[in-house]
Amino acid sequence: MDQYVRPFSLCSRYVIGPLETLIKALKLLPGVGEKTATRFAFYILNAKTEEIRTLVNSVRDVKAKLRLCSICFHLTEKDPCAICSDPRRDQSRLCVVETPLDLMAVEKAAIFRGLYHVLHGLLSPLDAIGPEDIRLEELKERARKGSFQEIILALNPTVEGESTAGYICEQLRDAGVKVSRIAYGIPIGGSLEYADPLTLTRALENRREL
Amino acid sequence: MDQYVRPFSLCSRYVIGPLETLIKALKLLPGVGEKTATRFAFYILNAKTEEIRTLVNSVRDVKAKLRLCSICFHLTEKDPCAICSDPRRDQSRLCVVETPLDLMAVEKAAIFRGLYHVLHGLLSPLDAIGPEDIRLEELKERARKGSFQEIILALNPTVEGESTAGYICEQLRDAGVKVSRIAYGIPIGGSLEYADPLTLTRALENRREL
C-alpha cells in the first residue's frame, strides 16, 4: 500500500450525520469522551426500539416531572417530598447536605431517621456564590420555627464545605439549637499508609478515648 | 445517634420515580453502573432544556435515519454510502472489516483509499453464528463480480477473527483475487516487556528483513 502513504483527511468527508450528532450530544455527559460516546451511540443504534423509547421518555420525564420539595429542597414528584411528609421520621433532627445526591448517600446508609435540608451549593467567594445563592435563609427559617434538637452538618470536607459549616454554625447561634458536624477521618477499609496528611491530621485531632 | 444503630431499609420507601427510571435506563449503556448512571441522570436533570432536546432527538434520529449501505453494509443515510459512491476511491482494493466501528477506525488512519465490506459479525460456532449469519455471501458475490486486485482482511486477532479470515480465504480461492490480512504484532508505542506471549509470537513469526 505504498501509494497510500501520504495521509489525507477523509474523516470529515464521510461523516454519518445522525451518528455524529448523537456522539456529540453524548459527549456532554460527565466523564464521557469520544470513545465512550461512540460505544454508547453504537449501543443505542443496535438497541431495541422499546428500549430506546424508555430511555427517551425517561430523559424527558426526569426534567418534566421532578421539582424541589418546598420544605427540604430535595428532588420530588409530589410536594412536600416523601421524607418530609413521613410522620415516622424523627422530627427533632435535621441533616444539612449540599446536594440531593448527598442526601441519597446518607439515606442509603440507613442510619439517620431525621429530616433533611438540601443547600444546593456551598459558599464559595471565588465562584461568587454567597449566602443568598444557596438555601441558607430557608435553613435559618426552619431552625427558628422548627422544634429541632440538633442540626447535623453533613458537608464535604473541602474548603467550601468547611467555611459553609462555619458560617451556618454562626448564623444558627441565636436559634438555640445544637449544631454538630459529621466526623472526618480514615474511611472504613481505608489504609493509614495511603491516607493524605490532612485526613490523618483530622483523624488524630478527632481521636476518641476508648 | 445511638438510637439509630439498627439499620432499616429506607431506600425502597423514598424512591424518586422518574429519577430511578432514568438511572435504570442509563444503566443499560455498556460499561455504565449505578454510580455512573446516577451521575449522568443528575447531569441530565440539571442540563438546559435545549441540550436535552438535542440529546433526545439525536437518540431517536440515529435509529430512524440510518440504514445499511446495500453495497458495503456500512451505516449510511443515503444508499449507496458516501464511500461506495465516491469515484475517487480506489476501486481495485477491498478492505473487509467486522463492524462499522472497525471501518471508521481504518478510515481514521487515513491510509486506505479503497472500498470496504462490513461483515457485521464473525464466524463463531460456539455462538451458533455461521456463514449465513454474516455478510459473507455478499462478499463472495462482490469478489466474483468486482474487479478487485486485492481483498484485505482487517479482522480482529481473536479466535473468531482468525477462523473467519481462514474461511473467507478458502471461499475466495476461486475468485482469482489476491487475499491478504493486516499485520499483527507489537503496537507502536507499546513495549515488549508488557506484550503478551501470543503477540510476541506473532511479532517474531512475521518479522521482516531490513
Side-chain angles (χ1 to χ4, degrees), chain A residues 170-190:
Chain A
E170 198 180 281
Q171 293 284 310
L172 295 183
R173 196 159 288 159
D174 309 329
V177 61
K178 184 173 137 197
V179 179
S180 62
R181 71 153 179 67
I182 54 165
Y184 303 139
I186 309 293
I188 307 304

Side-chain angles (χ1 to χ4, degrees), chain A residues 142-155:
Chain A
R142 284 182 83 182
R144 252 199 307 274
K145 281 190 185 168
S147 53
F148 298 119
Q149 281 167 33
E150 184 178 4
I151 293 180
I152 302 161
L153 305 180
L155 304 174

